[in-house]
Amino acid sequence: MELCDRPIHALFAQRLAGETTAVEIVRSVLNRIGKMEPRLHAYITLTRDGMLENAEAADRRLADGVPLSPIDGMPLALKDIFCTQGIETTCGSRILKGFRPPYDATVVQRLKAKGLNLAGKTNMDEFAMGSSTENSAYAPTRNPWDLSRVPGGSSGGSAAAVAAGEALAALGTDTGGSIRQPCGFTSLVGLKPTYGRVSRYGMIAFASSLDQCGVMTRDTTDAALLLGLIAGHDPRDATSAVRPVPDYQAALGKDLKGKRIGLVREFQSWSGLQPAVAEAFSDNVDTLRALGAEVETVSLPSLEYAIAVYYILAPSEASSNLGRYDGVRFGPRTAGAKNMRQLFARTRQEGFGPEVKRRIMLGTFALSAGYYDAYYLRAMRIREMLRADFAKAFGQVDLIACPTSPAPAFKLGEKTGDPLLMYMVDAFTLPANLAGVPAVSVPGGFSPEGLPLGLQLMATHFAEGELLRAAHAFESATEHHRRRPELD
Ligand code: GLN
């Protein structure tokens, strides 16, 4: 296995033992980028310059006994939704082409303080709207496990980069599944924290009551490590929680004795659930049982409305958040307009892709006088019911388990013609966003064609430690996370 394919904590142990250096690790990643990037298109912007110098500096710090953290000098990737000072940040959209933020997102600042060595900004569905990365205004990303398939979305570039060794780990965002689903499609660990656990300052807004930044890594130990570095209160984000950050790595244990795990009744008979996914999931449940968990069934009756509720609320919030892209304040402006209205309209006409326009129209409609009560308000009420369902379930069990997605990675182009088909892909992930609870996808096996499948675990608010502990126990009992895609 090459250096670029190993987890960060293992590389740190090797560096401490004098077996490798940050410079060697960076070379290995750069090599892989050179070989794979033309085929994958995981990145929108590569920031290769300076990476070797950063690694040298990290090696000196380690030699002096003062490394900033295990990520010091390690090549990581950031979804192109995070503002990076002086580095182009497009959010996958033409309307932000050329935008160089004058500041760093809080999560970027926090990683920089720990020695971040940025490999680049990763591709994504425009404004994080999508489940395949095909809505990127630039070009789609391909899945390293099968180049004819999507890596999932919207954080598909981050997932492809980490799965292919073009970065050691990445940050993504998850509004309805955009961390967990691509991690499931590429056999990575993807954790969406509790809403409010990680600052959203400097993270370009899609649907503010659902958006959350999280980590995409090779294993649960790296997930615990990275989450610990980015979590915690930020006075610049009013929704950020004032709560201490536990030591997530210390929480990792190897069994699940006495833990109660709930299987969701409503998901078991889900019409889109592929038999291969159901089979792998039932093996996953056997593993959880063998680790000492007590498995029972829970019911979340409002789940049947989750897709409908999400696709009213997320576009409503988006239609308001995206109002700021008018050709005046950010990015390109369409020339030749006769007045302000025309300037706004033409800039948006050219700057936004079809899915973003669809969401703005849906959201504007749902919020308009006369329809607000029938759509937005009703969706908000059902969201409360779903939250109550989760609260009740978490009174009964410690964790909820289900597949991450109803089917493995699909072919490029397979769902682009039918937005509803694309929306159905999120059935198992978006409930956690609506309820604000943390959820993780861990490698759960492979389909008969050799495509990765994810096991999803959810926990109650701020129980990331519990979630990681269970995910780690599962990972320790299985070999799925060790398998890497064949890249030749
Ligand atoms: N696929 C969902 C959507 O299109 C979720 C995207 C996300 O989590 N950013 O809205």
Side-chain angles (χ1 to χ4, degrees):
M1 191 183 276
E2 290 178 39
L3 291 171
C4 64
D5 293 314
R6 313 207 63 194
I8 297 169
H9 65 90
L11 291 167
F12 189 57
Q14 280 184 279
R15 288 168 66 204
L16 284 173
E19 292 165 14
T20 190
T21 62
V23 167
E24 280 178 1
I25 296 165
V26 166
R27 285 220 174 91
S28 169
V29 168
L30 287 173
N31 233 341
R32 187 60 66 74
I33 290 176
K35 184 166 134 202
M36 289 308 294
E37 185 55 11
R39 278 181 280 172
L40 289 178
H41 192 251
Y43 288 96
I44 294 179
T45 306
L46 282 164
T47 49
R48 282 183 274 212
D49 295 346
M51 277 178 80
L52 282 168
E53 290 77 359
N54 293 342
E56 277 166 17
D59 282 335
R60 277 196 298 276
R61 284 190 288 268
L62 192 75
D64 295 343
V66 285
L68 296 174
S69 78
I71 72 153
D72 195 4
M74 294 298 98
L76 307 188
L78 295 170
K79 185 177 185 178
D80 206 23
I81 199 167
F82 296 104
C83 285
T84 40
Q85 188 171 18
I87 299 171
E88 187 177 23
T89 300
T90 69
C91 214
S93 182
R94 256 194 306 276
I95 213 157
L96 280 173
K97 181 104 198 86
F99 171 54
R100 287 174 197 276
Y103 65 99
D104 280 324
T106 295
V107 290
V108 177
Q109 257 181 16
R110 289 189 178 169
L111 290 183
K112 276 188 175 172
K114 297 296 177 189
L116 168 71
N117 197 1
L118 184 65
K121 306 291 296 289
T122 55
N123 197 20
M124 55 182 288
D125 285 302
E126 186 175 4
F127 284 102
M129 297 173 188
S131 309
S132 68
T133 316
E134 291 167 295
N135 293 336
S136 164
Y138 300 98
T141 297
R142 289 171 187 271
N143 190 323
W145 291 87
D146 176 345
L147 296 178
S148 69
R149 292 178 190 266
V150 303
S154 63
S155 314
S158 285
V162 179
E166 293 191 14
L168 301 182
L171 294 190
T173 63
D174 192 311
T175 303
S178 282
I179 285 176
R180 289 160 288 155
Q181 184 250 24
C183 283
F185 280 10
T186 55
S187 210
L188 297 175
V189 173
L191 187 140
K192 179 204 90 75
T194 307
Y195 183 78
R197 179 73 288 185
V198 177
S199 168
R200 291 183 296 111
Y201 178 78
M203 179 176 122
I204 295 171
F206 161 15
S208 307
S209 78
L210 300 156
D211 298 342
Q212 207 18 231
C213 164
V215 298
M216 304 169 76
T217 60
R218 301 228 162 95
D219 65 16
T220 50
T221 307
D222 275 4
L225 163 71
L226 269 189
L227 179 63
L229 299 183
I230 59 171
H233 180 244
D234 176 9
R236 288 179 297 189
D237 172 1
T239 60
S240 135
V242 190
R243 261 182 181 251
V245 180
D247 182 344
Y248 294 118
Q249 281 174 286
L252 302 182
K254 292 215 187 295
D255 72 54
L256 292 173
K257 283 203 183 72
K259 291 288 164 205
R260 289 160 309 163
I261 297 186
L263 309 185
V264 183
R265 174 173 302 125
E266 290 75 11
F267 280 156
Q268 283 165 356
S269 53
W270 201 261
S271 67
L273 183 63
Q274 273 196 8
V277 175
E279 234 169 79
F281 178 65
S282 124
D283 286 350
N284 294 166
V285 173
D286 289 343
T287 305
L288 295 171
R289 264 201 204 96
L291 285 162
E294 292 159 27
V295 177
E296 53 191 278
T297 302
V298 294
S299 176
L300 301 167
S302 314
L303 267 189
E304 63 170 307
Y305 306 112
I307 294 183
V309 165
Y310 174 89
Y311 279 99
I312 290 171
L313 296 181
S316 297
E317 295 185 23
S319 73
S320 156
N321 272 326
L322 270 56
R324 72 191 68 168
Y325 305 107
D326 50 16
V328 177
R329 286 168 282 192
F330 302 90
R333 171 184 309 169
T334 301
K338 290 197 184 63
N339 53 43
M340 191 180 71
R341 272 183 89 87
Q342 221 177 51
L343 171 82
F344 286 12
R346 286 198 190 164
T347 301
R348 287 169 177 162
Q349 171 62 31
E350 285 174 20
F352 288 136
E355 182 61 26
V356 173
K357 288 177 185 159
R358 183 178 299 120
R359 305 265 180 129
I360 293 172
M361 286 190 284
L362 280 172
T364 307
F365 178 80
L367 291 175
S368 56
Y371 295 103
Y372 178 90
D373 293 332
Y375 295 105
Y376 184 78
L377 209 59
R378 192 175 290 177
M380 285 295 275
R381 288 208 181 103
I382 301 175
R383 182 179 190 176
E384 282 312 314
M385 286 162 60
L386 188 66
R387 270 196 233 260
D389 286 354
F390 268 103
K392 193 166 157 219
F394 285 127
Q396 195 184 330
V397 294
D398 302 299
L399 297 159
I400 290 175
C402 65
T404 304
S405 300
F410 44 93
K411 298 259 186 197
L412 273 106
E414 194 179 314
K415 296 183 198 285
T416 41
D418 185 347
L420 276 182
L421 223 56
M422 194 70 90
Y423 299 169
M424 303 298 275
V425 171
D426 308 327
F428 295 178
T429 49
L430 38 88
N433 301 76
L434 289 168
V437 298
V440 66
S441 177
V442 280
F446 294 85
S447 72
E449 323 87 295
L451 297 171
L453 302 171
L455 163 68
Q456 180 176 213
L457 298 169
M458 301 182 241
T460 193
H461 297 94
F462 298 101
E464 283 82 2
E466 178 109 23
L467 203 55
L468 281 161
R469 184 188 161 86
H472 180 71
F474 178 82
E475 178 185 90
S476 305
T478 54
E479 292 293 321
H480 313 306
H481 66 290
R482 294 190 202 286
R483 201 154 132 195
R484 303 259 53 96
E486 280 168 33
L487 298 173
D488 288 312

